Amino acid sequence: MELTEHMDPFEAVNHYFTRAARIADVSASTEAVLKTPYRELRVEVPIRRDNGQLEVYLGYRVQHDNSRGPFKGGIRFHKSAAIEEIRALASLMTWKTALVDLPFGGAKGGIAVDTRPFSANELEHLTRTYVRQISRMIGPTTDIPAPDMYTNAQVMAWFLDEYEQLNGRAPAVVTGKPLALGGSPGRIEATGRGVIIALGETIRGLGWSPDGTTIAIQGFGNVGSWAAQLAHRAGYKVVAVSDSEVCVYCGGGIDIDSLAEHRAANGSLKGFSGTELLEPDDVLMLPVDVLIPAALGEVIHAENEGEVLAEVIVEGANHPVTPWADAALADRGVTVVPDILANAGGVTVSYFEWVQNMQHFRWTEAQVNDRLTQRLVDAHQHVMKVVEDRGCTLREAAFVIAVERVAEASALRGML
Ligand code: NAD
């Protein structure tokens, strides 16, 4: 697929896929099969707001590939959750689960809605209606959802309860649940932890040390806030974090644990002493060593790529860099640790949660964290080996490993 400045998100993921398929010498017909999503469902999600008003939203579940195991992927509630985006994120999940060698395929779901003004009651109703609409498509051995943007452990609890009311006991149908309902120790911070493991492996390769490395993080939700806290505790200097309202900056470094307490108490990053207030998007252009986009997709693109000063970008978010910007960053020597490697910690611990649910047995947090670290370090080293052998970028190497694994599984099944 030719590189153009404006590609929809699915075209963008397929751009990376196609390059990898060529490097891996996958045939054109295999390429076409692997690219095409297995099944897509679009549903109506009506909800009566607390004031009596009836509203309707569109929900989706896209199952991309299941040759290596059940479909797996998060559910997001965000107004940008259109079918092209969900389709792209579903295919990214196929490549991500294959890269870290989990026995899962790829899926994604969501509702195109801004739930920020919703009460807890409204959010619960929205979630339960969506579950009823997609229930026939999911199950513990067919398709296992998880949290993503603007969904969390509470949403997964409602999700589980609604599914079980329809189908009977099935704790493994969804991951990212609260501990009291079969969630795994370490799941909440797993994606952020994985981002910092990927960062650690990357700076080790560059000969940098954490205490000499400055970081800016876009997003202070599940991924961003845990990445920030774990980076701070590991001795990195986190100089800026942002959310949808503001960016807070302090060149000398921010005490992230105190900032998290401040945000929990005040509901905002604003007003934290010793920090300067900047516009949210300024976080991308600060003079730092490392930038961690951990919010929305496509935030680094042709128009702002040249203003990014970081030498390393670790993709906490899914698809935060457009292919056009990715090529430009590679040309000027910026190291980009791709999403399918950098943010794979979440789905890895989701897999551990699913295993624990299937076995009705709980692991300790130390076991979860050790196994997560081992798996991600192995994946990182495998990617670096392919980078060396083939002289390609980390993203190309990561996609090559993933595409080869999915192609092999599909061929063995006789699907190709
Ligand atoms: P979240 O809903 O917990 O947090 C989202 C954050 O993004 C919030 O802090 C919000 O204020 C911020 N944000 C929204 N719009 C913004 C803007 N315009 N500028 C700056 N910040 C903005 O979501 P999350 O679970 O942390 O997911 C973030 C990203 O990480 C998404 O791309 C998601 O797909 C990806 N991801 C999440 C997980 C997971 O386990 N949660 C796993 C892998 C990848």
Side-chain angles (χ1 to χ4, degrees):
M1 185 174 297
E2 201 185 323
L3 180 59
T4 63
E5 203 175 316
H6 300 289
M7 297 170 125
D8 82 34
F10 190 53
E11 286 173 340
V13 176
N14 281 337
H15 169 75
Y16 299 135
F17 163 79
T18 306
R19 286 174 72 99
R22 301 283 150 79
I23 297 173
D25 209 13
V26 165
S27 73
S29 53
T30 300
E31 212 181 290
V33 174
L34 295 186
K35 239 187 237 182
T36 310
Y38 174 82
R39 182 159 50 173
E40 301 186 350
L41 181 64
R42 188 198 67 125
V43 295
E44 168 186 64
V45 189
I47 165 183
R48 194 165 295 281
R49 301 289 300 269
D50 293 342
N51 64 8
Q53 192 176 321
L54 187 65
E55 293 176 0
V56 63
Y57 298 96
L58 291 180
Y60 305 94
R61 184 74 183 166
V62 174
Q63 297 175 331
H64 180 262
D65 189 277
N66 66 349
S67 55
R68 303 183 76 259
F71 298 105
K72 182 90 188 82
I75 302 280
R76 63 169 54 180
F77 293 167
H78 192 269
K79 53 186 187 309
S80 74
I83 186 67
E84 293 79 11
E85 183 180 82
I86 300 292
R87 200 179 276 148
L89 293 167
S91 70
L92 269 184
M93 287 305 297
T94 298
W95 313 126
K96 192 182 300 182
T97 53
L99 174 63
V100 282
D101 207 7
L102 307 177
F104 285 140
K108 201 80 178 188
I111 308 177
V113 58
D114 180 0
T115 52
R116 284 174 301 176
F118 280 26
S119 67
N121 177 52
E122 291 167 338
L123 193 57
E124 179 177 347
H125 276 96
L126 184 84
T127 305
R128 288 184 184 278
T129 306
Y130 174 67
V131 175
R132 288 196 296 279
Q133 295 285 55
I134 67 161
S135 162
R136 76 201 70 176
M137 209 168 155
I138 59 175
T141 56
T142 47
D143 183 353
I144 306 129
D148 193 70
M149 284 195 83
Y150 295 99
T151 56
N152 56 21
Q154 175 61 74
V155 171
M156 296 306 113
W158 293 324
F159 197 109
L160 173 72
D161 184 67
E162 192 63 30
Y163 181 86
E164 288 189 337
Q165 288 193 33
L166 296 167
N167 300 285
R169 185 83 47 205
V173 70
V174 64
T175 58
K177 300 179 292 291
L179 276 180
L181 290 176
S184 176
R187 173 62 184 91
I188 286 183
E189 57 271 46
T191 310
R193 186 178 296 281
V195 168
I196 300 310
I197 293 168
L199 173 61
E201 287 300 292
T202 306
I203 67 155
R204 203 163 53 80
L206 293 168
W208 299 359
S209 67
D211 57 358
T213 303
T214 55
I215 308 181
I217 301 180
Q218 182 187 47
F220 205 65
N222 175 276
V223 182
S225 69
W226 280 108
Q229 286 175 77
L230 293 168
H232 176 68
R233 291 175 203 169
Y236 292 93
K237 201 191 281 185
V238 182
V239 298
V241 300
S242 70
D243 63 11
S244 57
E245 289 185 333
V246 73
C247 169
V248 292
Y249 174 75
C250 173
I254 301 172
D255 177 348
I256 299 293
D257 290 325
S258 304
L259 178 66
E261 279 170 25
H262 169 88
R263 210 268 311 254
N266 300 281
S268 170
L269 296 171
K270 288 180 189 164
F272 185 62
S273 66
T275 55
E276 202 181 320
L277 289 187
L278 305 175
E279 292 300 315
D281 285 353
D282 292 346
V283 74
L284 302 171
M285 287 97 192
L286 294 170
V288 289
D289 301 312
V290 177
L291 174 63
I292 302 179
L296 305 170
E298 300 185 347
V299 291
I300 301 172
H301 42 72
E303 284 82 47
N304 66 4
E305 169 280 320
E307 295 170 69
V308 173
L309 300 176
E311 286 177 54
V312 170
I313 298 175
V314 184
E315 295 186 336
N318 282 312
H319 187 48
V321 177
T322 66
W324 186 275
D326 192 58
L329 290 164
D331 282 350
R332 60 183 178 91
V334 176
T335 299
V336 179
V337 187
D339 44 15
I340 61 171
L341 178 61
N343 70 31
V347 71
T348 302
V349 176
S350 273
Y351 165 59
F352 297 159
E353 179 176 334
W354 181 80
V355 169
Q356 292 171 72
N357 295 154
M358 295 303 255
Q359 297 182 338
H360 306 281
F361 187 78
R362 178 164 289 173
W363 303 357
T364 65
E365 187 165 350
Q367 284 173 314
V368 169
N369 290 343
D370 286 352
R371 286 172 178 164
L372 170 66
T373 305
Q374 192 57 56
R375 214 169 251 270
L376 294 188
V377 168
D378 286 352
H380 201 100
Q381 289 176 355
H382 192 174
V383 168
M384 292 315 294
K385 173 94 179 52
V386 175
V387 167
E388 274 166 35
D389 291 351
R390 311 237 191 189
C392 60
T393 65
L394 274 80
R395 195 187 308 279
E396 286 166 339
F399 270 82
V400 166
I401 295 166
V403 169
E404 281 177 343
R405 285 185 176 154
V406 178
E408 185 189 5
S410 300
L412 285 167
R413 284 177 183 280
M415 288 157 64
L416 299 176

